[in-house]
Amino acid sequence: MFFQETTPDTSGYMIAGYAITFIVMALYVASIYLRSRNLNQDMTMLNEMDKPVQTTTANLPKRSPAKPSSNKSAKTVTKRSGKK
Amino acid sequence: MQSKPIALRILDIASIILLAISTYLALVFAPTELVMGDVQRVFYFHIGTAWTALIGFILAGVFSVVYLIKKDLLWDRLQVAAIEVSLVFFLITIVLGSIWARPAWNTWWTWDPRLTTAAITELIYIAYFMLRQGIDDPDRRARFGAVYALIGGLSAPITFFAIRLFRTIHPVVIGGTNPEADGGFSMTADMRVAFFFALFAFTVLFIDLFWNRIRLGDLQDKVEQLKLKVMM
């Protein structure tokens, strides 16, 4: 290469180099985007899964007084029976 | 879904514009090197990516030290982000170097000290991600990763100084002359413009990708915590 008279045509290597650079960069940017999108989807799904758990726990104290209602009816029965 | 901060959006656009200008300067503005021809133009991106990757590896070492002191997982996320982006940049460096070597040295690869240390550095950080994949406990993973990245970080300065310390055929274009080097050249004023602009453009691009990767790490952590919450 050093005892040449004309500049060699090495443009093919140059094009290959720049093409690979941009392809690798584009793949990496795409991987960040895809991973981020998938994580956001997971997040949405997990939040939805988490909501019913929160509502049932929130409803638990409300439901628990409903249980004595059967007792209430039992009491009324006894009262009624008492009246009898 | 968290929306991107405006500063990051601006940085995204700026890095694309800077990369486009840098490509123009490297391919059109800079003159053709007489001995090597057009393949010399890969030099601008080769150095740009190498510079940012080695800085990234050293930064990851610094983040490791801070993590080991503070035990805050934020520093672990910064370390992972720095290593991942640097790994991609350094892969480009190695591939571009190999493409340049084919017409300049008549071979795609040779076990020269610079090439060998560069390949070892790349492999060290590929193994870093394999190590992390194998550990489930986040604190243990972060601690092992920090120690590994700290030791691995030593490979970055070794790679940088390899051409200044050992006998090598790799040219030292900036700050040194090597009589053994094959394929060296002296830069003209226009080449220097393209060169320094490429360094600047790749630094901005690195910061942009680094920031995006940190956000991805934050999101990964949130999803992991939410998974645990849902499972419990």
Side-chain angles (χ1 to χ4, degrees), chain A residues 1-2 4 6-18 20-22 24-25 28-29 31-47 49-50 53-54, chain B residues 1 19 23 26-27 33-39 41-42 44-45 84-85 88-89 91-92 95-96 99 102-104 108 182-183 202 205 209 213 216 219-220 222-223 226-227 229-230:
Chain A
M1 187 177 264
F2 295 103
Q4 63 202 11
T6 55
T7 304
D9 179 20
T10 51
S11 54
Y13 293 103
M14 178 198 75
I15 292 164
Y18 277 86
I20 288 168
T21 303
F22 286 112
V24 172
M25 291 272 182
Y28 184 61
V29 171
S31 93
I32 287 182
Y33 170 74
L34 288 173
R35 281 185 286 172
S36 171
R37 196 192 63 178
N38 291 341
L39 283 168
N40 277 312
Q41 282 174 352
D42 286 358
M43 189 103 153
T44 315
M45 195 185 72
L46 286 165
N47 276 323
M49 282 172 76
D50 197 30
V53 173
Q54 282 176 345
Chain B
M1 185 187 275
L19 192 64
T23 308
L27 297 182
E33 208 272 333
L34 290 174
V35 180
M36 288 181 274
D38 281 329
V39 75
R41 293 177 195 277
V42 301
Y44 306 109
F45 277 27
E84 192 182 284
V85 179
V88 173
F89 275 42
L91 176 71
I92 294 170
V95 172
L96 286 180
I99 287 171
R102 182 68 184 92
W108 293 104
D182 194 357
F202 276 99
L205 184 64
L209 290 171
R213 184 59 186 80
L216 186 72
L219 196 60
Q220 273 172 340
K222 278 178 190 166
V223 169
L226 201 58
K227 267 183 191 169
K229 194 182 162 192
V230 168

Side-chain angles (χ1 to χ4, degrees), chain B residues 74-171:
Chain B
L74 165 75
W75 297 100
D76 179 59
R77 291 199 290 274
L78 292 176
Q79 179 207 107
V80 173
I83 291 178
E84 192 182 284
V85 179
S86 299
L87 197 62
V88 173
F89 275 42
F90 210 53
L91 176 71
I92 294 170
T93 306
I94 292 172
V95 172
L96 286 180
S98 181
I99 287 171
W100 174 84
R102 182 68 184 92
W105 296 340
N106 206 27
T107 180
W108 293 104
W109 188 264
T110 177
W111 293 105
D112 174 81
R114 166 53 76 82
L115 276 68
T116 308
T117 50
I120 289 169
T121 302
E122 186 76 359
L123 291 172
I124 282 173
Y125 287 105
I126 290 171
Y128 166 84
F129 284 103
M130 290 164 77
L131 173 80
R132 289 185 70 95
Q133 285 287 321
I135 305 169
D136 287 331
D137 177 37
D139 288 324
R140 199 156 172 252
R141 183 172 57 209
R143 197 168 64 247
F144 275 59
V147 173
Y148 188 97
L150 186 59
I151 297 164
L154 297 173
S155 67
I158 291 171
T159 304
F160 179 78
F161 287 111
I163 52 174
R164 290 161 178 88
L165 296 174
F166 307 112
R167 278 184 66 187
T168 169
I169 57 167
H170 192 287

